């Protein structure tokens, strides 16, 4: 059984979609569409009546709502739970009397808060966007690795499919520990900058290993899974 990313052509590249109950990483530069891709994924679940959880660590949820509305995504529905964990002073938790800005600084507390949520209610899809800051909160690499593995194991107990986003640098630990990595790249071709999507790894499945063009449009992300990004090459 597979779980859809919400982007049909990306599902085709994944030979049917993601394997549920596992953790994935979406990597890309600023404005590459990481957030948009994760919203496709969550909305897909929400539309089916699943309960989904989005944890925002950098972009305030109000702004996200506005931007996603422009792409035709209404995340203002009861089974789409969006948690604002951005470092904004007055922000308060929508559950428990916690200051969410603390979470951005404290991986362990964020993990505890998410796990508490999972204990209370069943979520099928969880996104943490992005995890970049979390890496910076733990200096010791071994400690971070332990925390990260612990988090993945804990979430796995609840059968939720987890999608994390990050920028490119310094994600070697996460790359190894997650079940799949999808990259949103920029490619220079014939003097133009093109966007390309590449599945770097996908445990437990065959997949399209080519770099395929994608665009961000008024309707979100469009992947051209039959097209090649390099003219005259088969890649
Ligand atoms: N209708 C549209 N047509 C084309 N591009 C759009 C449209 N709407 C938004 N975009 C582009 O989508 C990008 C934003 O996507 P998104 O926020 O998902 O990226 P991101 O990788 O999460 O960025 P960040 O690193 O800032 O978090 C911006 O570059 C924006 O210009
Ligand atoms: Mg983003």
């Amino acid at each position: 059984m597979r779980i859809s990313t919400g982007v049909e052509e990306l599902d085709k590249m994944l030979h049917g979609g993601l394997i549920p109950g596992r953790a994935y990483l979406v990597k890309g530069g600023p404005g590459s569409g990481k957030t948009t891709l994760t919203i496709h994924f969550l909305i897909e679940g929400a539309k089916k009546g699943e309960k989904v959880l989005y944890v925002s660590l950098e972009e305030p949820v109000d702004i996200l709502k506005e931007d996603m509305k422009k792409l035709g995504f209404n995340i203002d529905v009861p089974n789409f739970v969006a948690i604002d964990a951005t470092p904004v002073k007055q922000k308060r938790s929508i559950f428990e009397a916690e200051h969410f800005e603390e979470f951005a600084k404290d991986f362990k507390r964020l993990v505890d808060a998410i796990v508490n949520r999972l204990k209370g209610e069943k979520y099928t899809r969880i996104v943490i966007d992005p995890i970049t800051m979390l890496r910076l909160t733990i200096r010791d690499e071994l400690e971070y690795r332990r925390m990260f593995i612990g988090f993945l194991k804990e979430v796995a107990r609840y059968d939720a499919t987890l999608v994390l986003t990050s920028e490119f640098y310094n994600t070697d630990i996460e790359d190894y520990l997650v079940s799949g990595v999808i990259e949103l790249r920029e490619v220079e071709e014939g003097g133009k900058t093109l966007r390309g999507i590449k599945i770097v790894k996908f445990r437990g499945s065959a997949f399209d290993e080519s770099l395929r063009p994608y665009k961000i449009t008024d309707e979100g992300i469009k992947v051209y899974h039959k097209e090649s990004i390099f003219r005259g090459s088969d890649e």
Side-chain angles (χ1 to χ4, degrees), residues 34-36 54 59 129-130 165:
K34 302 181 292 297
T35 298
T36 309
Y54 175 85
E59 195 180 349
D129 182 28
T165 71

Side-chain angles (χ1 to χ4, degrees), residues 36-216:
T36 309
L37 182 55
T38 66
I39 299 298
H40 273 280
F41 169 67
L42 294 178
I43 284 281
E44 178 73 17
K47 274 197 303 202
K48 290 184 183 151
E50 298 172 19
K51 191 140 198 180
V52 302
L53 182 64
Y54 175 85
V55 181
S56 181
L57 287 178
E58 276 180 16
E59 195 180 349
V61 166
D62 306 351
I63 294 176
L64 178 78
K65 275 183 189 167
E66 256 172 58
D67 289 351
M68 290 303 131
K69 210 166 258 172
K70 287 180 209 146
L71 299 176
F73 298 130
N74 178 19
I75 66 170
D76 233 340
V77 291
N79 53 337
F80 192 117
V81 178
I83 290 177
D84 200 325
T86 56
V88 178
K89 278 272 167 346
Q90 341 51 312
K91 274 275 182 274
R92 281 193 161 266
S93 159
I94 52 162
F95 66 95
E96 292 147 31
E98 298 267 19
H99 284 279
F100 268 97
E101 67 266 30
E102 295 301 316
F103 293 148
K105 290 188 250 147
D106 189 336
F107 192 3
K108 181 149 191 346
R109 289 188 57 200
L110 177 71
V111 169
D112 289 347
I114 291 173
V115 170
N116 275 338
R117 278 246 129 180
L118 298 181
K119 279 180 186 156
E121 250 172 315
K122 182 166 173 59
Y123 289 88
T124 54
R125 301 169 192 234
I126 303 170
V127 167
I128 303 178
D129 182 28
I131 55 161
T132 316
M133 294 259 282
L134 300 176
R135 177 71 186 90
L136 305 174
T137 63
I138 300 173
R139 284 256 176 80
D140 185 58
E141 226 172 72
L142 186 62
E143 177 61 20
Y144 179 72
R145 186 179 272 264
R146 273 203 202 107
M147 275 295 302
F148 198 83
I149 293 173
F151 175 53
L152 296 187
K153 272 195 179 155
E154 193 65 34
V155 171
R157 290 175 51 197
Y158 298 92
D159 289 331
T161 307
L162 181 65
V163 175
L164 311 168
T165 71
S166 83
E167 284 160 23
F168 275 114
Y169 59 86
N170 216 358
T171 55
D172 41 332
I173 294 176
E174 296 87 342
D175 287 355
Y176 282 111
L177 297 178
V178 294
S179 291
V181 177
I182 298 171
E183 290 188 357
L184 301 174
R185 297 184 184 168
E186 280 190 348
V187 189
E188 299 292 329
E189 169 69 10
K192 282 205 295 188
T193 306
L194 304 173
R195 296 182 193 273
I197 186 164
K198 179 161 168 91
I199 301 163
V200 177
K201 89 173 212 185
F202 186 22
R203 281 186 198 147
S205 174
F207 59 93
D208 179 356
E209 294 183 39
S210 305
L211 178 69
R212 301 295 182 185
Y214 77 94
K215 281 184 184 154
I216 306 176

